[in-house]
Each structure stands twice: as C-alpha cells, then as structure tokens.
Amino acid sequence: MPLTSRRPVPQTPRRPAPRARRRTAQALLASAVGVCLVAVSAPAEPLGIGDPLFPHLGNPGYDVQAYDLDLTYSGSNDRPLEAVTTVDARITAELDRINLDFAHGTVRSVEVDGEPAVFTGVGEDLVITPDGGLAPGDSVRVTVRHTSDPRPGDREGGWVRTADGLALANQADAAHLVFPCNDHPSDKAMFTFRLTVPEGYTAVANGLPTAVDRAPGTTTWSYRTRNPMATELAQVSIGRSTVLHRTGPHDLPLRDVVPTEHRTGLEPWLAKTPAQISWMEARVGRYPFATYGLLLAEASTGFALETQTLSLFERDLFTDPALPAWYVESIMVHELAHQWFGDSVSPRTWADLWLNEGHATWYEALYAEKRGGRTLEARMRAAYESSDGWRATGGAPAAPKPPEPGRKIGIFRPGVYGGAALVLYALRQEIGQEAFDRLERAWVDRHRDGNASTADFVRLASETAGRDLTGFLHAWLYDDTTPPMPGHPDWRSSKRAVTEEPGPHTREHPHGLLPGPHGHRPDAGGE
C-alpha cells in the first residue's frame, strides 16, 4: 500500500487535439509566410541542451511532464519489441519542430495531439514537425509507434539480455536506445508502463503496480511512478521471475524480482533490506519513494545500478563464495543510498555526478565499516593517496574529463566515487559531525524530486556551517591536486598511486572491484 504521507498519484487526462491553438498558429503562419518559409525549409538537425560534458544530450524547448510506455515482448530476445511511447510535455520556447532522442529502433508513425505529423531521423534525434507551431505554455502530446530492439548495436547500454528475458541499464544516456525521450537527467517526469508478455513471464517496472490484465496466451502488467524520474533510471524486467514481497519501515511495501529457481537461496540476502533502509533513514531521513526492491538478473554486467525503486544487480553477486558478506551488503547499501542521492535528488548536469556517486560511496563505506570491512579512516587515507592520480587521469571530482567518443559511461571513474567521498570526508573534518549530519538531511529534503548542482551543494554547506565554504570546497572539487586534509597533515597523495580505472563493466565498483573476470577481489585494493 502507498504511504499515507505521499502525494496523490498524478493523473494525465486524455485530451482532444487543441484545434483552436492550431488554427491560430496556422493563421500566424499565413500572415508571416516569408519568415516561415525560411523556418520550415531549414534542415532538421540534432539538438542538445548544452551539458558541459555532453552538449548534444537532451533537447531544448519543452519540459516533459509524463511518459507512457506500452511494450509488447514476443518471448524472443532476438526480435524487436513492438512499442508505443506517449510523451506529454509543456512547451517552454517557440518551436517549429520537436526533437526527441531516439536510436536503435524503427519509427512507424508519429502523432502530435492526435494528428499525424511529419518526422525524420537525424543523428540520434527523432525530429517531428507538427501541423502548426508551438508556443510557450502550450501542452502537447506526442505519440510514437515504434520498435524497441534488444539486440546489441554499436552503442553501450539500453536493453540487457538476460538468461530468461530482459532488463534495462540506461545510464548514462541509453534510455533513447529503448524509447523516444528527452534523455537527460535534468528533465524528470512521471512514468506509466504497460508491459505485455507471453504466458509464463513476469513483467515488473519502476513504481507501484496498477493492474494485471490476462488474455489468452499473454498478460499485461501495468505500473506507475508516484515521483518524477530521470530517463536513465527507468527499469523494465521481463523474465521467468518471482516477485517476493515484504514490508519495510513505516509499512513501506518492498518487492524483489528474482529468478524463480533461486528464490530460496536468495531470500536471506533480500531479508536484509528493511534494516538497511532503517539504517539509511537514521542518517538522512525518510526513504523518498513509495516502494523499493532488488532486481536480481541472470546476466553478466559487472555492475549494479540504482534504477529508481528497483535497483539492478547480478544474481552472481549474491552467490559468489569469494565475496565476504560485508562487501555484498555494502554494495546493496550503495544502490539504496542512490535512491536519495541521484534518484530523488538528481544531478543538474553530468558534471554534477560526484554528488550521486560520492554520497553513495560514503554511505557504503560507513556501512562496510559497521559490518566488518575497513574503517572509514583507513579507506579515506587510501583514497587520499590515490587522489592526485585520479585527478590527473580523470579530472577533479566536480570537473570530470569527457570520455572517449561513444563511451559516455567513461565518466564513471574512481574520482567520482572514492575521490568524491573524500570530499565529503574533508568537509566533515572541516565543519564537524553535527553540522555535516544536518547538511545531509537538508540536502535531500530541500531538493527532493528535483535536480541540484554542485553550486547548490556549496551554498547549502555554507548556510549550514554558518560561514562561507566556497574557497574550501572549490579546492577540493576543482583543483588539479588534492588539498591538505583537515586533521591529517601527514596524509600524502601521489600521481603514481593511482589505481586502475574501472571500465564500463565495473563502474559501480571502483572501490573494490568484483572478483574473477570482473576485476580484483574486494580486499585487493580500491580506494
């Protein structure tokens, strides 16, 4: 059941096409034909919102309010899914065209407010020309009938093919390999999912279930989020799975999605989640969403991912005898902490990624210490020793260097994990435990369900401490070399001390890479 303190579920009513607006736009077009001929004849082009790391991500001129995803899975991972994506948006600038990010699928038709629209693909954008211009304040509904292809392409991310179905891994910008969208975390929206799968399959998505409709040979599972979500955090699980239910703090409904044949062996791990949520709540306040759970996939990804309300893990993480219990539990807490830091409070730009990963690594480290791992101080000292090397190779925590072309997940380097957690440690040393704890709670409370930047964090830290911390934090966040650590004048950093950077298959584990084929054992280094 939903928590009583949550807001009511927003409903997006179906509405007729705005004929009056369209007639007005057409009249204006007729009265200014010279200007419009230039605009209409201008070639379609891919756009972006100017993200400092990825300037061509996202699209300007509108704010998405809601996505409605209708996906039909055939039972084969070698066949594209049939899909209908509906985008409800509010126009924020004069537009002759609407750009959506979309690649790796075939567009069959596009409608704008129920009327057919001209469309074309340019780069990784779907460029749509409605019948009439769009003005600031207008509401628009775009319906795209398309396929969604789970077969590997020339881009990383999107659909993950599991042993018995599919899951999603959209970070950093791969949601548009799955459905048309404004694929940047600054444009969060509500989501509704309708997932039609063959008999014998279970489908789960972000949010809470709203309906299960059975028909001969198929079942349609429906879900809706109660909080806005970034496209990179969307999750869809299709498989021969079992959904396990339990109750968390404050009667929070918890659901885990596991391969049916392994449900008994995994239960002891999943039963730890309620206590982990209570542990996080004691430090940063109430859990921010209406449900939570773990999706354990039969896939070799090499990472875990904080998809909103349903974190993605490899099943093998929980069955590998080489991994100590404290390590596995700390990774569970890392993804849980992201529900506050990264999911509820999302980065304004990708250069603000350190706010996500630094905080998740911080609480992971605190929990690991509690459960028998290295002490926080030992871990931070090791990170300090490598910090100059991380800055030299990947950039300062809040100024990461761009990745290689076509590999946007290359920004997930040690500097935004251990290096960013080191910033938080330095801040706690500088302002004291009590002020630091108040800052953490104020951060997630003030920016809940929104986006926030590095500048926002610096301002709030200064406000909480009662003094200007701009100079102190600027050095820690942006300098090429690591500042002296308050309280530890004997700590030293060296560019030669850098550890191996995680690749795309270890991006959630630079602190202690997965064992065997995934990297080093958790006691073999990291930060």
Side-chain angles (χ1 to χ4, degrees), residues 214-236:
R214 304 188 186 278
T218 65
T219 304
T220 299
W221 307 73
S222 299
Y223 299 86
R224 182 178 294 126
T225 65
R226 292 202 168 201
N227 302 80
M229 181 170 71
T231 51
E232 53 132 347
L233 302 174
Q235 184 57 269
V236 169

Side-chain angles (χ1 to χ4, degrees), residues 446-506:
R446 180 170 298 188
H447 299 289
R448 178 177 175 173
D449 286 340
N451 297 87
S453 67
T454 299
D456 293 324
F457 186 81
V458 173
R459 280 192 295 269
L460 185 59
S462 298
E463 175 187 318
T464 304
R467 58 189 172 93
D468 188 0
L469 294 170
T470 303
F472 175 82
L473 283 171
H474 188 278
W476 277 96
L477 292 167
Y478 295 104
D479 280 5
D480 294 334
T481 57
T482 311
M485 177 59 72
H488 296 286
D490 58 320
W491 285 12
R492 297 289 182 268
S493 188
S494 168
K495 291 183 180 180
R496 295 188 299 275
V498 65
T499 58
E500 180 182 357
E501 288 195 30
H505 301 296
T506 56

Side-chain angles (χ1 to χ4, degrees), residues 67-347:
Y67 291 100
D68 188 306
L69 274 61
D70 194 324
L71 300 167
T72 301
Y73 176 66
S74 68
S76 170
N77 286 351
D78 293 319
R79 293 175 56 187
L81 287 74
E82 291 296 326
V84 180
T85 296
T86 301
V87 182
D88 286 304
R90 180 177 56 84
I91 303 302
T92 59
E94 294 286 346
L95 292 179
D96 295 312
R97 297 187 177 106
I98 301 169
N99 280 45
L100 294 173
D101 300 303
F102 186 56
H104 205 49
T106 300
V107 177
R108 305 199 188 283
S109 67
V110 177
E111 294 179 355
V112 176
D113 288 328
E115 298 185 3
V118 175
F119 63 91
T120 187
V122 183
E124 294 193 355
D125 277 18
L126 172 63
V127 184
I128 301 164
T129 304
D131 180 16
L134 298 166
D138 284 348
S139 294
V140 65
R141 169 165 291 171
V142 179
T143 302
V144 184
R145 289 173 173 80
H146 62 98
T147 63
S148 184
D149 199 338
R151 295 172 296 186
D154 57 1
R155 281 282 314 280
E156 299 166 325
W159 287 114
V160 173
R161 303 202 298 176
T162 67
D164 62 344
L166 295 170
L168 288 180
N170 292 333
Q171 202 175 70
D173 75 322
H176 73 275
L177 302 184
V178 179
F179 61 97
C181 58
N182 198 24
D183 203 1
H184 192 274
S186 62
D187 193 0
K188 299 168 72 166
M190 309 299 287
F191 277 74
T192 298
F193 300 86
R194 275 183 293 279
L195 313 170
T196 300
V197 298
E199 186 176 352
Y201 285 83
T202 299
V204 185
N206 313 87
L208 292 169
T210 58
V212 179
D213 299 312
R214 304 188 186 278
T218 65
T219 304
T220 299
W221 307 73
S222 299
Y223 299 86
R224 182 178 294 126
T225 65
R226 292 202 168 201
N227 302 80
M229 181 170 71
T231 51
E232 53 132 347
L233 302 174
Q235 184 57 269
V236 169
S237 166
I238 299 171
R240 298 187 181 278
S241 308
T242 294
V243 180
L244 303 176
H245 297 276
R246 71 192 78 241
T247 301
H250 323 295
D251 294 324
L252 177 72
L254 305 178
R255 46 82 190 268
D256 301 302
V257 184
V258 301
T260 299
E261 62 179 307
H262 298 291
R263 58 180 296 179
T264 301
L266 294 169
E267 174 60 28
W269 291 107
L270 304 174
K272 298 178 184 295
T273 298
Q276 291 172 348
I277 294 175
S278 294
W279 186 86
M280 280 296 304
E281 288 189 334
R283 284 150 184 82
V284 296
R286 189 100 166 207
Y287 176 75
F289 301 124
T291 185
Y292 185 63
L294 279 60
L295 165 58
L296 308 189
E298 292 277 19
S300 180
T301 62
F303 58 81
L305 192 62
E306 65 272 17
T307 40
Q308 189 163 311
T309 71
L310 186 62
S311 292
L312 174 66
F313 297 85
E314 289 183 7
R315 179 184 64 83
D316 288 353
L317 176 68
F318 301 90
T319 58
D320 189 332
L323 294 177
W326 67 260
Y327 174 78
V328 176
E329 292 178 42
S330 71
I331 299 305
M332 293 171 69
V333 169
H334 182 110
E335 305 309 327
L336 173 62
H338 269 309
Q339 304 301 309
W340 284 266
F341 302 96
D343 293 10
S344 179
V345 184
S346 299

